[in-house]
Amino acid sequence: MSSEKLGINSKLIHGGGFKDPLGSATVPIYQTSTFIFDDADHGARCFSGESDGYIYTRIGNPTINTLERLIAELENGYGGIATSSGMGAVNTVYMTLLNQGDHVVSSAAVYGPSRVVLEQKYSKLGIEATFVDTSDTEAVRKAIRPNTKLLYIETPSNPTMYITDLVACSAIAHEQGIPVAVDNTFSSPYLQQPLDLGADIVLHSMTKFINGHADVVAGMIVAREKSMYTRLRGIMVNMGFNMDPHQAFLVIRGAKTLGIRIDRAQQNAMKIAAYLENHPKVEWVRYPGLESHPQHELAKKQMKGPGTMLSFELKGGLEAGKILMNNVKLAILAVSLGGVETLIQHPASMTHSKVSTEAKLKADITDGLVRYSVGIEDVDDLISDLDQALAKII
Ligand SMILES: *Cc1c(COP(=O)(O)O)cnc(C)c1O
């Protein structure tokens, strides 16, 4: 059966199209830097592209290529490009599409380093960036300039959980011939498939949901068209942003349970969001599954589920947040997200600490905002944990 016809959970188990000549049921780790040519002519054919034989692991490797095909199948794209980390994927996209004199429009509330690298490094290479609340479609239209070469979106936004309308924003960018890249880390292809909604490129920190076990750092880009795929791949290979075969093996293993992990964590998240929303010490909760979320309807249309990430603010602001983070016993106080374990963190002093205070406030990243990544523990235990920690706030 062609894997295109399979449901996503079947693709997660059987996708990637690897057939081991010795019959291994799992994808082996081809832990080699280089590959032997049959003879000089074969080597020449590999380099010219007449043969698709392997040459060198930075360029291609059977374990890594299997993971690339798997994620491309999940995202309905032409091809995947694996990177050493999520930031390797982000920088491959920036390096491929942005040249001196170009301009990028980006969501204001993005992963901290995705913004910081534009402000602090690409700016020095003559590349300008405008950060807007991309959940405001008109703000996106107004930010576009004649030299805009990329619309870069994160939805749900990090850590504010706003939703950007991918169909509307892609249409605006495409009117001007501008490619759209979406960081899909917060949803994973299990919940959102941006290429089907108009995006040209989707990227992931697979460190998060796709691997899901807090034991690998890894990234992936998927392009909708072959020409874009070829350009991105060339930059990844020559910049040395490549993945290692052992990383690929671990992510392939982790990805098999993506669906059941998210289903379970999402059920937990819904209950926890409702619990927090009704708690007297909580100022607000932002979770796409709550009716109180400003883009609840858009989330329902664009995503297959509201996900497992939520942010909230305590009435006591940062001080109350600190008490909560220091008193939870089951949730782990750590950055990252999308794993089997529940994590809690404070963006203003942690993941977004290098973003300027002014930019943070403009992006609604308030000092008291707490980010909570729901895991697959028993939800009653997670709620009791929050309950006892919230009780410590006076
Ligand atoms: C973690 C993260 C990244 C960066 O990924 P790394 O694997 O840590 O390099 C990029 N975008 C989002 C949304 C993330 O959460």
Side-chain angles (χ1 to χ4, degrees):
M1 191 173 176
S2 125
S3 83
E4 271 148 54
K5 298 200 185 75
L6 296 174
I8 193 157
N9 287 294
S10 304
K11 283 187 190 174
L12 284 164
I13 309 297
H14 299 287
F18 181 82
K19 282 251 175 320
D20 184 54
L22 302 179
S24 168
T26 59
V27 184
I29 313 173
Y30 282 82
Q31 195 71 43
T32 180
S33 59
T34 196
F35 295 83
I36 304 168
F37 301 128
D38 297 339
D39 53 32
D41 278 348
H42 176 229
R45 284 198 306 279
C46 288
F47 271 96
S48 72
E50 279 165 73
S51 162
D52 57 7
Y54 289 100
I55 299 172
Y56 185 66
T57 281
R58 178 158 46 74
I59 303 171
N61 171 291
T63 316
I64 300 169
N65 291 171
T66 302
L67 177 59
E68 291 171 335
R69 285 190 301 267
L70 171 64
I71 308 299
E73 281 171 32
L74 301 176
E75 291 284 10
N76 298 321
Y78 171 79
I81 298 144
T83 54
S84 54
S85 66
M87 283 316 296
V90 173
N91 279 295
T92 300
V93 171
Y94 290 168
M95 294 296 297
T96 302
L97 293 167
L98 301 172
N99 292 305
Q100 188 179 17
D102 291 346
H103 172 248
V104 48
V105 175
S106 166
S107 300
V110 282
Y111 185 67
S114 304
R115 176 170 182 148
V116 168
V117 77
L118 287 172
E119 288 177 330
Q120 297 184 2
K121 181 67 199 173
Y122 290 84
S123 60
K124 294 187 181 144
L125 303 174
I127 294 159
E128 289 179 307
T130 304
F131 299 94
V132 295
D133 175 2
T134 49
S135 70
D136 175 355
T137 308
E138 276 317 297
V140 173
R141 189 190 298 279
K142 285 195 198 116
I144 289 175
R145 300 183 193 166
N147 61 339
T148 304
K149 293 289 159 59
L150 171 64
L151 173 59
Y152 184 90
I153 297 171
E154 208 173 298
T155 179
S157 59
N158 185 356
T160 46
M161 301 307 297
Y162 291 132
I163 311 286
T164 294
D165 186 333
L166 290 176
V167 172
C169 286
S170 299
I172 290 171
H174 290 163
E175 275 168 31
Q176 315 291 328
I178 300 165
V180 179
V182 177
D183 182 336
N184 201 25
T185 302
F186 263 43
S187 301
S188 92
Y190 190 70
L191 295 179
Q192 176 169 274
Q193 287 150 315
L195 301 183
D196 292 349
L197 300 170
D200 303 280
I201 298 166
V202 55
L203 62 99
H204 286 280
S205 167
M206 299 196 296
T207 313
K208 316 296 166 53
F209 287 99
I210 294 178
N211 179 61
H213 293 75
D215 51 11
V216 184
V217 171
M220 182 68 73
I221 310 163
V222 178
R224 187 150 50 90
E225 307 278 348
K226 183 180 179 181
S227 57
M228 182 66 84
Y229 164 82
T230 307
R231 287 174 67 195
L232 289 160
R233 184 153 204 104
I235 293 291
M236 179 282 285
V237 167
N238 289 340
M239 286 284 165
F241 293 149
N242 60 286
M243 177 174 279
D244 176 85
H246 187 244
Q247 264 176 306
F249 167 80
L250 287 169
V251 178
I252 291 168
R253 186 173 68 164
K256 289 184 199 290
T257 53
L258 178 68
I260 55 171
R261 281 189 278 111
I262 290 191
D263 285 344
R264 162 68 176 236
Q266 197 167 241
Q267 282 172 9
N268 287 356
M270 198 62 229
K271 289 184 185 155
I272 290 168
Y275 160 80
L276 286 170
E277 195 166 48
N278 290 315
H279 198 286
K281 288 179 185 158
V282 176
E283 181 76 37
W284 52 255
V285 182
R286 219 171 289 126
Y287 177 62
L290 290 176
E291 274 175 27
S292 60
H293 188 285
Q295 290 118 2
H296 177 63
E297 289 306 316
L298 174 59
K300 276 209 286 202
K301 206 169 85 186
Q302 176 164 292
M303 301 168 70
K304 296 184 173 79
T308 76
M309 296 296 299
L310 51 96
S311 60
F312 57 95
E313 175 112 15
L314 296 172
K315 289 198 174 129
L318 176 58
E319 284 313 309
K322 271 193 190 154
I323 296 173
L324 173 72
M325 282 181 279
N326 286 335
N327 284 285
V328 286
K329 296 192 168 82
L330 191 56
I332 299 171
L333 177 59
V335 299
S336 197
L337 58 108
V340 290
E341 59 288 300
T342 296
L343 302 177
I344 190 167
Q345 71 117 343
H346 176 235
S349 71
M350 296 172 186
T351 46
H352 291 68
S353 58
K354 303 229 162 40
V355 177
S356 73
T357 308
E358 195 198 337
K360 272 197 284 257
L361 286 181
K362 232 179 129 195
D364 269 355
I365 306 169
T366 46
D367 271 350
L369 186 150
V370 174
R371 193 180 82 180
Y372 194 81
S373 170
V374 182
I376 64 170
E377 298 93 335
D378 290 300
V379 69
D380 292 343
D381 292 338
L382 290 171
I383 290 176
S384 311
D385 183 39
L386 285 167
D387 215 44
Q388 61 81 26
L390 286 166
K392 303 253 163 57
I393 303 166
I394 355 141

